[in-house]
Amino acid sequence: MTLLVDTSVWSLALRRDAPEDMPEVEALKAALLGGEAIVTTGLVVQELLQGFSGPKAFTQIIERFAALPLIAPDREDHIAAAELRNTCRRKGVQMGTIDALLAQICIRHGLILLTTDQDFVHAARHCALSVWPRKVNG
């Protein structure tokens, strides 16, 4: 299982005053400590850099994320993300442009999205997006 960790989870995990007992943050910690595969994308790195102030935090984020494999979307990902966003909208699910692209990256690469954003859970009902915790039927 390879995780793509959404900005919402990284933001909570990197805060000094992080709330206790957030299952998504605990899952991230467990994945990091357990050596599970975690990837990122430039969109997540950019959102994190925009959200934290100060040069020290900026530098620390760049250094920490340099160790993670970076997945870059291509033209087909952008096209598929637009189709995904349109499909979700027709089903009554609002999805932003960046969220649609993150979802598409996960779908294309078979990644599990670790997020606190419920919009992804709603979107996953209408596409092949796998959101943590992965539901197993049976």
Side-chain angles (χ1 to χ4, degrees), residues 9 12 19-30 114-116 132-133:
V9 177
L12 289 170
E20 300 272 330
D21 299 326
M22 288 285 303
E24 296 84 2
V25 174
E26 294 304 316
L28 173 58
K29 288 179 185 176
L114 179 58
T115 184
T116 61
W132 182 94

Side-chain angles (χ1 to χ4, degrees), residues 1-135:
M1 158 173 95
T2 301
L3 294 174
L4 188 143
V5 181
D6 184 33
T7 308
S8 63
V9 177
W10 283 118
S11 294
L12 289 170
L14 295 172
R15 287 175 43 182
R16 288 190 184 137
D17 61 342
E20 300 272 330
D21 299 326
M22 288 285 303
E24 296 84 2
V25 174
E26 294 304 316
L28 173 58
K29 288 179 185 176
L32 289 168
L33 292 173
E36 287 187 49
I38 298 173
V39 298
T40 194
T41 186
L43 297 166
V44 171
V45 175
Q46 182 178 344
E47 285 182 325
L48 284 170
L49 290 171
Q50 292 170 174
F52 283 87
S53 61
K56 184 177 179 182
F58 197 87
T59 301
Q60 286 177 340
I61 290 169
I62 292 170
E63 289 171 357
R64 289 178 181 172
F65 278 76
L68 296 178
L70 186 77
I71 296 178
D74 64 14
R75 181 186 311 265
E76 294 305 314
D77 288 319
H78 289 279
I79 293 167
E83 291 173 349
L84 173 62
R85 187 170 184 262
N86 291 341
T87 297
C88 285
R89 187 176 61 228
R90 283 192 298 275
K91 302 286 185 175
V93 176
Q94 293 301 314
M95 181 174 242
T97 300
I98 290 175
D99 287 353
L101 188 54
L102 289 176
Q104 171 54 32
I105 289 169
C106 288
I107 292 167
R108 176 179 175 196
H109 295 279
L111 307 172
I112 310 252
L113 182 63
L114 179 58
T115 184
T116 61
D117 186 340
Q118 290 300 298
D119 290 344
F120 288 110
V121 174
H122 299 303
R125 295 183 186 126
H126 307 289
C127 64
L129 176 62
S130 183
V131 178
W132 182 94
R134 194 163 79 185
K135 305 289 188 225

